[in-house]
């Protein structure tokens, strides 16, 4: 398949390209596009054949449901009921990086929800994404635009790397400003329950429902009978080719431990990549040290995370050692993705 690639600017969206891509969506094609969280790979959420193409292009397991993206606050066509709590969330945080889970109507085909009676819905903040949805005139089902298992793409180049030749269109825009996928919150239950942490934090959701909590199944190392309510959370994910190990504790001790580990690996002729921060990067003697940004700005760390994880694939390292972050605010989402990329290999010092 020949993939069309076009770069747009969020502030002056080129309507001709949007209409061209929207036509593809209406015709049952698949289109990658930017959102503020990560890039998505979209299809008409109500067209089974089109949605099937997404699963095929990504190599995505069939039991992993998709999120549908809308540009209108009226979602009555797709869900049986919008509880007050969900309305509050939509009003406070839409458009933005949060997906709500509600009971779906028949019109949403079961391939989109992977057989579940519920559906995830989100209104992205990114202008290109919203223009594309509006021009298509249908809700757009879109998982992250990566090959399944790889870190999600936060720029156009990463989409091209994973999907060129496999999709109809790749629309580029500015790099994703959030960098980790949307928060997912189950609004079919009371209290509401976070199924995937993201930039809309638990603390923020507790302003809507003071009893909101995070699904305990996703916080620790998966057990044999691990069944998180968001099916996608059970898969190995966000993983660069080399194994990742996280080192957690007071920052001086972490730097000392990672430095010691680097020496040990080097003695075994292993090439090590270190994921550090602006505050620590100069303290390592290792040749390959990449900073995620300043510890003072966790939003920046989130924004850079997947790009940095991906960058190691072209650096030919045998192992990646990474500093941990405090699990507060967006730090919870960052650590959730890091732990998954490391297969929960964490050393406490
Ligand atoms: O930020 C995002 O949400 C991005 C952008 C493109 O919008 N999309 C995204 O989609 O991250 P994806 O497919 O990579 O992740 C969707 C997650 C999966 O873990 C899936 O299991 C969960 O959402 N999910 C979808 N529908 C669900 C449902 N009805 N119940 C529980 N979990 C659901
Ligand atoms: Mg994904």
């Amino acid at each position: 398949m020949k993939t069309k690639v076009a770069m747009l600017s969020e502030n002056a969206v080129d309507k001709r390209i949007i209409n061209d891509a929207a036509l593809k969506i209406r015709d049952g094609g698949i289109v990658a596009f930017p959102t503020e969280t990560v890039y998505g790979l979209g299809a008409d959420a109500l067209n089974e054949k089109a949605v099937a193409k997404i699963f095929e292009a990504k190599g995505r397991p069939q039991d992993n449901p998709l999120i549908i993206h809308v540009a209108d606050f009226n979602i009555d066509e797709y869900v049986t009921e919008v509880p007050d709590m969900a309305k509050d969330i939509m009003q406070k945080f839409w458009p933005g990086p949060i997906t709500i889970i509600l009971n779906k109507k028949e019109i949403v085909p079961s391939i989109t929800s992977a057989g579940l009676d519920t559906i995830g819905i989100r209104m992205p903040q990114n202008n290109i994404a919203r223009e594309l949805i509006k021009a298509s005139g249908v809700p757009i089902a879109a998982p992250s635009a990566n090959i399944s298992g790889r870190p999600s793409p936060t720029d156009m180049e990463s989409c091209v790397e994973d999907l060129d030749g496999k999709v109809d269109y790749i629309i580029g825009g500015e790099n994703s400003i959030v960098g980790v996928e949307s928060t997912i919150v189950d609004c079919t239950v009371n209290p509401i329950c976070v199924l995937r942490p993201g930039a809309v934090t638990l603390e923020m959701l507790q302003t809507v429902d003071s009893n909101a909590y995070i699904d305990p199944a996703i916080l620790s190392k998966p057990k044999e009978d691990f069944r998180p309510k968001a099916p996608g959370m059970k898969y190995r994910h966000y993983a660069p080719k080399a194994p990742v190990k996280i080192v957690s504790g007071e920052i001086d001790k972490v730097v000392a431990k990672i430095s010691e580990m680097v020496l040990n690996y080097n003695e075994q002729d292993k090439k090590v990549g270190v994921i550090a921060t602006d505050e620590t990067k100069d303290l390592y003697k290792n040749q390959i040290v990449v900073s995620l940004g300043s510890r003072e700005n966790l939003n920046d760390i989130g924004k850079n995370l997947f790009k940095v994880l991906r960058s190691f694939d072209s650096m030919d390292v045998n192992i990646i050692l990474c500093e941990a972050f405090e699990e507060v605010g967006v730090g919870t989402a960052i650590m959730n993705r890091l732990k998954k990329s490391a297969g929960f290999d964490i050393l406490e010092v």
Side-chain angles (χ1 to χ4, degrees), residues 1 34 46 54 60 82 84 86 114 118 120 151 165 171 179 259 267 317 342 344:
M1 182 191 288
L46 309 181
I54 294 182
R60 181 176 176 103
V82 186
D84 286 343
T118 55
I171 299 181
S259 303
E267 270 169 26
V317 295
F344 286 82

Side-chain angles (χ1 to χ4, degrees), residues 114-131:
L116 298 177
D117 295 331
T118 55
I119 188 77
I121 307 191
R122 141 169 143 84
M123 186 192 289
Q125 191 211 315
N126 183 292
N127 216 8
I128 298 171
R130 281 213 313 283
E131 291 290 337

Side-chain angles (χ1 to χ4, degrees), residues 29-200:
I30 51 178
V31 175
F33 61 95
T35 90
E36 71 280 15
T37 55
V38 300
Y39 276 62
L41 176 59
D44 175 354
L46 309 181
N47 177 339
E48 288 181 26
K49 283 201 183 123
V51 171
K53 290 183 192 166
I54 294 182
F55 283 90
E56 197 188 316
K58 280 185 55 109
R60 181 176 176 103
Q62 294 283 343
D63 69 345
N64 195 4
L66 306 181
I67 292 169
I68 69 175
H69 296 66
V70 295
D72 193 315
F73 279 89
N74 186 349
I75 54 172
D76 293 344
E77 216 182 316
Y78 316 118
V79 297
T80 57
E81 190 200 353
V82 186
D84 286 343
M85 219 87 91
K87 282 188 191 129
D88 282 358
I89 292 172
M90 290 161 69
Q91 224 165 33
K92 268 200 163 153
F93 304 114
W94 274 12
I98 184 156
T99 298
I100 55 176
I101 304 286
L102 296 170
N103 289 310
K104 78 172 189 74
K105 278 188 178 160
E106 285 283 307
I107 190 176
V108 181
S110 111
I111 185 169
T112 305
S113 67
L116 298 177
D117 295 331
T118 55
I119 188 77
I121 307 191
R122 141 169 143 84
M123 186 192 289
Q125 191 211 315
N126 183 292
N127 216 8
I128 298 171
R130 281 213 313 283
E131 291 290 337
L132 178 66
I133 301 164
K134 280 190 220 153
S136 304
V138 290
I140 296 187
S144 48
N146 51 287
I147 296 296
S148 263
R150 296 205 73 201
S152 302
T154 51
D155 58 15
M156 189 179 80
E157 295 73 49
S158 305
C159 291
V160 171
E161 196 177 289
D162 277 20
L163 298 176
D164 193 23
K166 297 188 173 133
V167 304
D168 294 290
Y169 227 117
I170 297 175
I171 299 181
E174 286 81 3
N175 294 359
S176 299
I177 52 171
V178 175
V180 290
E181 302 88 344
S182 62
T183 307
I184 300 179
V185 60
D186 188 353
C187 295
T188 66
V189 291
N190 192 348
I192 58 173
C193 174
V194 175
L195 308 185
R196 179 174 72 182
V200 176

Side-chain angles (χ1 to χ4, degrees), residues 4 13 35 56 88 96 112 115 137 148 189 251 274 289 294 315 321 343:
K4 277 195 189 175
V13 179
T35 90
E56 197 188 316
D88 282 358
T112 305
S148 263
V189 291
I251 195 64
V274 174
V289 181
S294 167
M315 285 192 245
L321 303 177

